[in-house]
Amino acid sequence: MTGIGVEAGAQAARSRALAVLRIRSRALAVALLPAAVAVVLLAGGSTGHLVGGVWDAARLVMSVLGVLVLLAAGVIALVVARARPAVSPTVAIAEEAAPDLYRMVRDLADRLDVPAPSAIALTPDCDSWLEDRTHPAHGPPPQEGRDDEIAGAGGSHRRVPAAPVLVIGSPFLWWMRVGELRAVLAPVVAGTGPSAHPDIAAARRFVRGLDAAVAVGSTPGRCPLTRVLCAGVASVARLMLRGCREHAALMERGVAAAAAERAQAVDYGLRIVAQEQVGLAYAGWDRLLTRVALPAWRMGRWPSRLDAGVVAALTELSRRDRLAEGFASRLGERPACDLLEEPGTIDEAASLLAARLFHGGPAENGPDWAPVDWQEYPEEVVDRKWRLDAARLHRVLDAQGVTHTPSTTAPDSHAPTLARVLTHLSASHHTAPEPPSTHQAGPVLDASPPAAAPSNTPAAADGETLPQEPPALASASDESVTAGTGRHTTVEGEAETLAAALTAELAREEATTSHPRSTPETTPDATLWDDTALPLFPLQPPRTARELLTDHVTAMVCCAAIDTAGATPGLDWLDGPSLLINGERAADLTPRVLSLVEDGDPAPLRAWLVKSGIRPEKPVRLV
């Protein structure tokens, strides 16, 4: 460790902290100035030096102004001092639940010669940091029946912890080895040293108080007078926050530089290797959430072992990617999750918190929100998702009046078949050759199939609660009907119409089956963070209408493969739900479905169906 570098970073942080505190002192001076002037005027009048009508009026005005400014400053100071700063949602780890982890962190702090963190918490993200929770509002009494910090469980009766809380990304504990985790946490734990300096601690408290005061102005549910007062306090806090923003950023940069310099002597070589694991864990975690967990969350199920799943995903990545082959050899070493007494329980709590943060699910289990194990995922999530999507697709086709294929061999001519979807989306079914005379528009329109012209209206005719059709779609639909060019409705128009109807149908279902954001007994005071705007970190933007149509057609193909060709649903750790034909993943299905949806060309998909032994004319089982 280079003592000069540590001292330079700490000195820079202290100087910036003093600059922040000077802004606080200037604000206090401005608040006291009218009262000080009033005191001078009153003293001058009592001694007989400042007499006369003008001085009497000045004394009266400045006295009233001084009192008002002092009252306003007192209210602002009270709000800044009592406003609850934002706290990251985490899962608390008690020392009894992870004595080895606490021991490792304390040993690391001793090697770095810094104070040990007061507590340890986990976050469902690939990051680690120190978080100051010295505010009195961050130490609520523990509540029974809750095992995460969303409800304040695990909270100590201590009102003021001695040091910041160490927040560790839960994927790190499962993917990293013990030595790698220690090397990654070294610069984080080293940050407790500069944080203990009084000037830096005071500057941080002031900035956090201003930030919390700004948030107070946007809290809903207040009366108009209180709302006006809170808006005034927030505007003053925002003004001071702008003044000290640059100094606060440079202060934190100096603290980070001092911590990094102090951690140089601790496992420096291993930390270089561990940083590679950080990037790999981030990639695997993001892939697991977006490809595997998100479909389950949309089904009302939440995978209860996400951290164990990221290990499986990264192991699969190391098997596929030659560049990652060396990472698989690490699995023989002791994983960091062995530092926990009950890693399964911690993993379940972190998985539920991840579902809340990234999807907005409820805080507890329920009939429409239940955990699912990885062994049950193919049947409980993949197969059910495909059949629900296929059922929705056929409901929309029924609403649009699309006829069933006459070639079906099923006893029930109205049974759902894949052939119905293929025929409806095929270009040959909707597009006829151009007539010899291009000005004969009327006969061409009369010769069109009965369902072609009105196929643009069912989405608006199903009910008044349907969302409006996108402008681009509406204009395209109008042009396909009223242009009078002598052409039939193109396959693009049919696909867009079907996609819009699917979007409206899905929006109706989500509106009627949306999960409550919090449990009925949960109150704003029972949480350390605002859970009224979940999800806090949406994983993906809303799917487009074309993407929804592609997903539904793919689901219909998979259902036909399962029911007619003996295929099975599967789970791919990197790509999510997958179709297994003869035990092998059907990786070439998506391009053929896109050819049908985007180009109206069913030939590639039909050839693939024949090759795989799938019979599209056979009915499929829906839910």
Side-chain angles (χ1 to χ4, degrees), residues 86-94 102 119-133 138 146-155 164-170 307 345-354 356-358 363 526-531 534 536-537:
V87 175
S88 303
T90 55
V91 175
I93 304 296
Y102 272 82
I120 298 176
L122 296 185
T123 180
D125 198 3
C126 293
D127 199 1
S128 297
W129 65 89
L130 291 172
E131 188 164 279
D132 190 350
R133 298 183 179 180
H138 296 161
R146 313 293 284 255
D147 44 80
D148 60 65
E149 288 187 3
I150 297 176
V165 174
L166 174 62
V167 181
I168 306 174
S170 60
D307 293 306
T345 303
I346 300 300
D347 193 0
E348 184 174 352
S351 300
L352 180 58
L353 179 58
R356 295 201 68 194
L357 295 181
F358 299 117
T527 60
L528 295 180
W529 52 282
D530 184 12
D531 61 349
L534 294 173
L536 298 180
F537 313 104

Side-chain angles (χ1 to χ4, degrees), residues 109-204:
D110 290 341
R111 293 176 61 184
L112 295 169
D113 194 21
V114 296
S118 61
I120 298 176
L122 296 185
T123 180
D125 198 3
C126 293
D127 199 1
S128 297
W129 65 89
L130 291 172
E131 188 164 279
D132 190 350
R133 298 183 179 180
T134 57
H135 195 276
H138 296 161
Q143 299 180 5
E144 296 182 2
R146 313 293 284 255
D147 44 80
D148 60 65
E149 288 187 3
I150 297 176
S156 172
H157 289 284
R158 295 179 304 170
R159 300 294 290 178
V160 181
V165 174
L166 174 62
V167 181
I168 306 174
S170 60
F172 292 164
L173 282 175
W174 268 259
W175 175 243
M176 289 187 173
R177 310 299 98 179
V178 174
E180 294 171 347
L181 180 65
R182 182 174 57 248
V184 168
L185 294 181
V188 182
V189 175
T192 60
S195 300
H197 193 275
D199 293 336
I200 295 177
R204 283 177 166 176

Side-chain angles (χ1 to χ4, degrees), residues 25 40 43 58 99 101 125 134 143 150 211 228 249 324 329 380 426 436 447 472 497 528 542 584 596 600:
S25 300
V40 171
L101 180 60
D125 198 3
T134 57
Q143 299 180 5
I150 297 176
D211 184 69
V228 171
S329 62
E380 295 291 332
S426 300
T497 302
L528 295 180
E584 296 183 359
L596 172 67

Side-chain angles (χ1 to χ4, degrees), residues 70-309:
L70 286 178
L71 288 176
V75 171
I76 295 173
L78 183 64
V79 171
V80 171
R82 295 183 60 86
R84 184 171 57 184
V87 175
S88 303
T90 55
V91 175
I93 304 296
E95 187 170 359
E96 296 79 12
D100 293 340
L101 180 60
Y102 272 82
R103 190 178 302 111
M104 184 197 74
V105 172
R106 289 196 182 103
D107 293 342
L108 184 59
D110 290 341
R111 293 176 61 184
L112 295 169
D113 194 21
V114 296
S118 61
I120 298 176
L122 296 185
T123 180
D125 198 3
C126 293
D127 199 1
S128 297
W129 65 89
L130 291 172
E131 188 164 279
D132 190 350
R133 298 183 179 180
T134 57
H135 195 276
H138 296 161
Q143 299 180 5
E144 296 182 2
R146 313 293 284 255
D147 44 80
D148 60 65
E149 288 187 3
I150 297 176
S156 172
H157 289 284
R158 295 179 304 170
R159 300 294 290 178
V160 181
V165 174
L166 174 62
V167 181
I168 306 174
S170 60
F172 292 164
L173 282 175
W174 268 259
W175 175 243
M176 289 187 173
R177 310 299 98 179
V178 174
E180 294 171 347
L181 180 65
R182 182 174 57 248
V184 168
L185 294 181
V188 182
V189 175
T192 60
S195 300
H197 193 275
D199 293 336
I200 295 177
R204 283 177 166 176
R205 284 195 301 270
F206 178 61
V207 172
R208 285 197 306 271
L210 292 177
D211 184 69
V214 171
V216 167
S218 59
T219 303
R222 291 193 172 98
C223 65
L225 178 60
T226 306
R227 195 158 55 243
V228 171
L229 293 177
C230 290
V233 172
S235 62
V236 175
R238 193 177 294 110
L239 178 63
M240 289 190 290
L241 195 60
R242 279 199 299 265
C244 63
R245 179 181 302 165
E246 181 179 357
H247 297 296
L250 293 176
M251 177 187 68
E252 297 298 340
R253 190 177 301 173
V255 170
E261 287 290 338
R262 185 179 292 272
Q264 289 292 329
V266 179
D267 299 330
Y268 179 74
L270 185 58
R271 188 161 70 250
I272 297 176
V273 178
Q275 288 300 326
E276 298 178 357
Q277 303 305 318
V278 172
L280 188 65
Y282 183 86
W285 181 250
D286 180 74
R287 196 73 175 254
L288 183 73
L289 293 182
T290 55
R291 301 296 182 89
V292 179
L294 188 58
W297 293 338
R298 288 171 174 166
M299 297 290 299
R301 307 296 297 271
W302 54 277
S304 59
R305 295 294 185 270
L306 280 180
D307 293 306

